[in-house]
Amino acid sequence: MNKKLLFGIVSIIVLLIGGIFVYFKLNEDKNDDKEKEINIEVSALEVLSPLEVEDSAKASKQVKENIVKIINKIDDKNTIYGTGFFDKSGYLVTNSHVVDLEGEITVQYSDGSVSKAIIYSNDTLSDLALLSVEDVKVKALPIVSTMNLEVTNELYSIGYQLNLEGEASVTKGILSAKRVASGIEFLQTDAAVNSGGSGGPVINAKGEVLGIISLANENATLSFAISSDTLLLYIDKLIKNSEVKYVTEKRETNALSSVLKEVNYKE
């Protein structure tokens, strides 16, 4: 065989082997990075103590200091903002529609510091998600049953509405009704909620969580929160059965949209 031809064949083989090695090495490094990315350890958190006596101003202040803004950067042009709070298990609770478009997730605390986060588990039917967060800097919120909550009782919605700069917003309302769809209990309230408030806590005047905001109509005069009783059931379920489900199209984060359609809820 011609020596030049032989040399050429050997060179091509060497290049191919080298290319294959580099390809697998790069993918190995990517997989290693991915493994590192998803390995955020979660541990139990201290729970914020509720007030002994009702005081909506104090309750709102201490809750605001222990919730986070969620920033889900989809790409350079699209970012979804929401709100979240921690359960005693150490997981961050929010709405699925805030995080189920795949992106880079960070959480921002009231002092402006940030931590990296990833989805641990989510459920699009209930519109709930649990996130694992690095270096948690706040306390978990106390979650109480709404069994004794009655229509016209006052409640407060807290969240980073409209992605306004600075502290979270607090709005006041009453329990207008309790409604159930597909086993999910909703608290209907007239507390104003806008985009960005999704995933925020609904509390009483002692700072106890009664539910998690999920939906509002277009002019923010009517909103729905998933009740704490349903929330506690789903937190347990999502911890035990970790599964991440992303959606492929942008989900509406305001109005009675995706979640109510999914549970066949009628206005």
Side-chain angles (χ1 to χ4, degrees):
M1 181 180 291
N2 185 289
K3 288 184 179 181
K4 288 185 178 180
L5 178 60
L6 179 60
F7 178 77
I9 293 172
V10 171
S11 298
I12 292 171
I13 292 172
V14 170
L15 288 172
L16 286 173
I17 293 173
I20 291 170
F21 173 79
V22 170
Y23 172 80
F24 281 105
K25 180 61 178 172
L26 288 173
N27 278 277
E28 181 182 338
D29 291 342
K30 287 179 182 178
N31 289 333
D32 286 344
D33 290 341
K34 191 172 183 180
E35 288 298 318
K36 291 176 184 176
E37 183 179 313
I38 64 175
N39 187 26
I40 296 179
E41 294 185 5
V42 170
S43 56
L45 293 177
E46 179 183 353
V47 179
L48 185 69
S49 298
L51 303 177
E52 294 184 3
V53 178
E54 292 187 351
D55 186 325
S56 59
K58 288 183 179 179
S60 298
K61 182 177 184 297
Q62 69 175 23
V63 169
K64 283 198 294 182
E65 292 172 349
N66 287 278
I67 65 172
V68 297
K69 177 189 290 187
I70 298 175
I71 304 164
N72 183 17
K73 185 178 179 181
I74 311 303
D75 53 40
D76 290 338
K77 295 182 179 180
N78 298 287
T79 300
I80 297 174
Y81 297 93
T83 305
F85 59 93
F86 287 90
D87 171 62
K88 63 182 180 180
S89 62
Y91 289 102
L92 180 66
V93 185
T94 190
N95 286 151
S96 181
H97 72 250
V98 174
V99 294
D100 59 17
L101 280 172
E102 190 170 6
E104 181 181 343
I105 304 172
T106 54
V107 300
Q108 181 177 309
Y109 301 93
S110 61
D111 64 1
S113 61
V114 298
S115 290
K116 185 177 181 180
I118 58 170
I119 306 178
Y120 171 78
S121 186
N122 71 311
D123 177 76
T124 56
L125 176 65
S126 63
D127 195 31
L128 291 171
L130 299 182
L131 307 186
S132 303
V133 179
E134 286 184 338
D135 303 321
V136 178
K137 299 175 175 61
V138 294
K139 296 179 181 180
L141 298 187
I143 304 174
V144 298
S145 174
T146 58
M147 290 290 290
N148 297 321
L149 187 66
E150 297 182 351
V151 171
T152 73
N153 283 172
E154 292 183 351
L155 41 75
Y156 306 84
S157 174
I158 304 180
Y160 288 95
Q161 301 191 42
L162 301 176
N163 189 33
L164 297 173
E165 293 294 328
E167 62 182 341
S169 302
V170 180
T171 56
K172 177 182 176 181
I174 62 167
L175 176 65
S176 304
K178 290 182 180 180
R179 304 189 185 280
V180 177
S182 296
I184 299 169
E185 182 180 55
F186 291 95
L187 306 180
Q188 179 185 326
T189 173
D190 60 347
V193 175
N194 291 282
S195 177
S198 295
V202 173
I203 66 168
N204 59 22
K206 289 186 176 182
E208 298 168 318
V209 175
L210 304 173
I212 177 172
I213 281 292
S214 185
L215 302 158
N217 66 345
E218 291 182 357
N219 57 7
T221 58
L222 178 69
S223 59
F224 288 81
I226 298 165
S227 78
S228 57
D229 294 299
T230 295
L231 175 61
L232 288 170
L233 290 173
Y234 271 89
I235 288 175
D236 186 58
K237 175 182 175 182
L238 290 171
I239 290 175
K240 290 178 179 177
N241 303 296
S242 174
E243 184 178 4
V244 177
K245 298 177 181 177
Y246 290 108
V247 296
T248 56
E249 296 180 0
K250 188 168 183 179
R251 180 188 291 279
E252 295 179 33
T253 58
N254 201 5
L256 296 179
S257 55
S258 54
V259 178
L260 294 189
K261 291 176 184 176
E262 287 166 0
V263 298
N264 295 317
Y265 184 89
K266 305 296 183 183
E267 290 188 71

